[in-house]
Amino acid sequence: MNNPIRWGILGAAKFAREQMGPAIHATPGHVLAAVASRTPNKAAPFAAMAPGLRVHDGYDALLADDGIDAVYVPLPHTMHVEWAMKALAAGKHVLVEKPVAMSVEAIAPLIAARDRSGLQCTEGYMIVHHPQWQRLRALLAEGAIGRLRHVEGVFTYDNSGDPGNLRNDARLGGGALPDIGVYTYGSTRWATGAEPEAITHADIDWEDGCDVLARVSARFPGFTAHWVNSMRLLPEQVMTFHGDAGLMRLTAPFNPSIFGPAELTLRDKTGVTRVERWPGANQYVRQVAAFGAAIRGEAAFPWKLEDARGTQAVIDAAYAAAGGRPQV
């Protein structure tokens, strides 16, 4: 493709090395052109994957690179808004890792900066690009399970043995809800098109200022939801949408390439069960392709900063219902 979109990555985070860097490199019409890292051995895997890659020794140096069109920001959570705004000011399109911010209020300046710039800037919420979620959303809209009455969501893992992980550091925006609550909460909102009316229950366990186990319930117009998110439980991922005429379940809704196969199970009131599968679908490659289409004006990106703000509002409300986050 002529005039490929040239990407730079701020930092050599593990997730960027293992998922987003390879996804950018694998997407037609996109080039992984530069990485900012002061540690050469961390940049080495990117250079091995993308010959000719430029390695900058600082984030500002990458933003000053005229050979970069779009920037991916996988920095610690508390740095997302700052560097996304700097990237916009430098004239770059921006895909910022989730959560885009640590509070609803912090997202407003970024939305304003995006609107002033005329550039694309959004959160990397990859699941909306996966066909299993697109299919579930369409089936809900068609009434495949009748009237939706309840959503049950679980996303857990155990990183208790990794105290240096930024997710265990409250000063860097650690915690289960910022890291994975965005998925159970946001996917419920996106799939149903509904917003919660109230948080009806919030029970959160804390360690050093980080929420490590959160059990939260909400009331939506016409249905309820209950979500469990934890950084201290056996790994599990499942989302269930329960209606009066059927039930749909995704058994690897968030990391299908890692946790298990991408499957949607639909059971109707007659007892008939059918299963749809999407082997090989890469939600990260699809996300890069969709971002490129938005940059080129070919299609609207399906997840905007306003969508991220809506999910953050649910997280903020869950914290408030549990008595607030501890001071760190």
Side-chain angles (χ1 to χ4, degrees), residues 33 35 70 86 104 121 149 210 285 314 321:
V35 170
K86 287 182 178 180
V104 166
C121 177
R149 299 307 308 273
C210 286
V285 169
V314 183

Side-chain angles (χ1 to χ4, degrees), residues 33-165:
V35 170
S37 176
R38 295 187 179 91
T39 309
N41 66 321
K42 288 186 177 180
F46 295 95
M49 175 177 53
L53 178 101
R54 298 183 295 282
V55 179
H56 294 287
D57 63 1
Y59 305 149
D60 287 310
L62 186 144
L63 296 184
D65 187 337
D66 291 335
I68 297 298
D69 306 305
V71 171
Y72 171 59
V73 183
L75 299 171
H77 300 162
T78 52
M79 301 171 68
H80 287 175
V81 169
E82 174 189 359
W83 285 98
M85 291 187 68
K86 287 182 178 180
L88 286 173
K92 317 296 186 187
H93 302 281
V94 187
L95 183 65
V96 60
E97 195 47 60
K98 57 77 193 167
V100 69
M102 299 308 298
S103 69
V104 166
E105 292 77 17
I107 300 176
L110 185 57
I111 290 175
R114 176 204 63 190
D115 292 347
R116 289 194 303 269
S117 72
L119 297 164
Q120 292 293 323
C121 177
T122 193
E123 182 181 59
Y125 198 64
M126 76 290 184
I127 67 169
V128 302
H129 307 281
H130 199 288
Q132 67 175 344
W133 276 106
Q134 294 167 351
R135 178 64 170 152
L136 182 141
R137 189 188 198 199
L139 287 169
L140 281 177
E142 293 168 10
I145 62 171
R147 180 185 174 194
L148 176 66
R149 299 307 308 273
H150 185 67
V151 176
E152 195 78 20
V154 176
F155 192 179
T156 62
Y157 62 85
D158 185 0
N159 69 355
S160 58
D162 187 10
N165 191 302

Side-chain angles (χ1 to χ4, degrees), residues 212-323:
V212 297
L213 173 55
R215 317 153 194 86
V216 176
S217 300
R219 183 176 63 250
F220 286 74
F223 68 95
T224 56
H226 178 66
W227 306 295
V228 176
N229 297 105
S230 180
M231 307 190 300
R232 297 294 185 268
L233 293 179
L234 185 78
E236 173 66 322
Q237 298 182 23
V238 64
M239 290 291 297
T240 302
F241 294 77
H242 204 154
D244 58 11
L247 178 148
M248 285 191 290
R249 178 174 290 119
L250 298 179
T251 51
F254 308 119
N255 300 120
S257 61
I258 299 170
F259 187 76
E263 293 184 351
L264 184 155
T265 300
L266 171 60
R267 186 171 80 244
D268 66 24
K269 64 194 310 180
T270 69
V272 172
T273 298
R274 71 173 190 261
V275 180
E276 299 183 35
R277 298 181 176 90
W278 295 268
N282 187 314
Q283 58 194 354
Y284 302 107
V285 169
R286 290 167 179 258
Q287 177 175 253
V288 173
F291 196 69
I295 289 174
R296 296 186 176 104
E298 298 167 354
F301 198 72
W303 184 263
K304 301 183 182 303
L305 289 176
E306 288 82 357
D307 297 303
R309 180 176 61 189
T311 297
Q312 187 62 50
V314 183
I315 293 175
D316 290 354
Y319 284 144

